[in-house]
Amino acid sequence: MARPGATCPPPARRGMVAARALLFWALVYSYCGVCACIAGLRLLWSIGRRPGETFRWVVRENPPACLNDPSLGTHCYVRIKDSGLRFHYVAAGERGKPLMLLLHGFPEFWYSWRHQLREFKSEYRVVALDLRGYGETDAPSHKEYYKLDCLIADIKDILESLGYNKCVLIGHDWGGMIAWLVAICYPEMVTKLIVVNFPHPSVFTEYILRHPSQLIKSGYYFFFQMPWFPEFMFTLNDFKVLKSLFTSQATGIGRKGCRLTAEDIEAYLYVFSQPGALTGPINHYRTIFSCLPLQHHEVIMPTLLLWGEKDAFMEVEMAEITRIYVKNHFRLTILSEASHWLQQDQPDIVNKLIWTFLKEETKRKRE
């Protein structure tokens, strides 16, 4: 929307903007078609090899014991007044302590922060959230309810519902995208920002258009634009794709990492095998191309960016470029042997780096 009194751009410039927009959407839908064709070929290959196994889908009826481990905290629910949605979270640490809010990525849920819930509860009220559409949090049916504006507002409203006006905000992967945006839009609510394996959103949108290698790695963003088919592909062979994301040599936790146990894998399968459980998470991606690029960019609070160099989905070069958008103390640590699933892959190192950053910033303020 133009500001009152603002002059309209000349016709030539308007034409250039329209042409760029046309090319952008042509790229989006063309690549979406390519990804769909590749997925279709994989489906046919699977049917040809093991037709009986391809469509097997086991709904897990009971949660594994690890999801109710009391050492991780207490399961809680909060209903947001504006949206009316009920959010699920797990909280550890005493009420009244400074808030540390944890935002998971895809395809994850609150449990991906289990190592951090145990670690930081000594000094923080640690809250690991199920984002809108995930796990036990309500999942609106229409994709329009998953626009970035809604996801950012969720975090603001949850913070207030928990009785806080500021927090240490930590996000991984898609949760990292949301954490960056909350820090940009509501800087007064974020005392310190910690992001794991996701660059500043402006870096991501600019880099992906200039580097075909990253465009290929982000192919799932385009594939997810299709209705129902991505969810269907995840269910094949009893969620083989989900399992391989965390365990395969190509995308999973590295050889030197803290691998997921059989019970950990069952926790993920329990959550995502429920009917309709994948639609909300994938809907997060279905509005992304209409929400970026950003109008505002700067991050003004102390920021820590942690990065697993073996990330199969994000090129490490984006981590260093992120520095230009942070107008405060910025620390980048790249772990050479770590994967995309960094806080689960190298929990001890990640926790130590977070503690160092938090203590360092406290000392800096005192001085």
Side-chain angles (χ1 to χ4, degrees), residues 73-93:
T74 305
H75 290 261
C76 307
Y77 302 86
V78 61
R79 188 171 297 279
I80 303 303
K81 291 181 180 179
D82 288 345
S83 67
L85 298 179
R86 189 184 77 153
F87 282 78
H88 168 253
Y89 63 92
V90 172

Side-chain angles (χ1 to χ4, degrees), residues 131-134 146-148 151 174 178 279-288:
L131 295 175
R132 178 184 291 224
Y134 281 84
Y146 295 85
K147 286 186 174 181
L148 288 175
L151 306 180
W174 185 260
I178 298 173
T279 298
I282 293 176
N283 274 342
H284 279 246
Y285 293 86
R286 287 183 169 133
T287 62
I288 185 68

Side-chain angles (χ1 to χ4, degrees), residues 155-267:
I155 306 308
K156 174 181 177 292
D157 293 341
I158 285 166
L159 201 69
E160 293 172 350
S161 297
L162 293 174
Y164 287 85
N165 56 24
K166 57 186 178 181
C167 69
V168 173
L169 185 61
I170 306 181
H172 167 248
D173 182 68
W174 185 260
M177 162 81 87
I178 298 173
W180 282 115
L181 296 175
V182 171
I184 292 167
C185 296
Y186 299 105
E188 71 282 358
M189 302 188 79
V190 182
T191 57
K192 300 175 185 68
L193 175 66
I194 300 169
V195 179
V196 183
N197 278 77
F198 200 93
H200 186 287
S202 293
V203 173
F204 180 66
T205 53
E206 293 165 8
Y207 191 92
I208 195 173
L209 294 175
R210 297 176 183 175
H211 296 81
S213 55
Q214 181 58 55
L215 189 69
I216 292 170
K217 289 180 178 180
S218 300
Y220 61 98
Y221 277 70
F222 299 86
F223 179 53
F224 286 171
Q225 302 309 305
M226 299 184 65
W228 73 263
F229 192 48
E231 290 95 318
F232 171 71
M233 289 298 294
F234 262 91
T235 66
L236 298 179
N237 295 289
D238 195 28
F239 298 87
K240 181 180 178 181
V241 171
L242 182 67
K243 299 170 192 172
S244 67
L245 281 173
F246 295 106
T247 61
S248 72
Q249 187 173 354
T251 64
I253 292 173
R255 289 179 300 168
K256 297 183 179 180
C258 183
R259 292 181 176 274
L260 272 63
T261 66
E263 191 176 34
D264 293 334
I265 295 294
E266 275 303 306

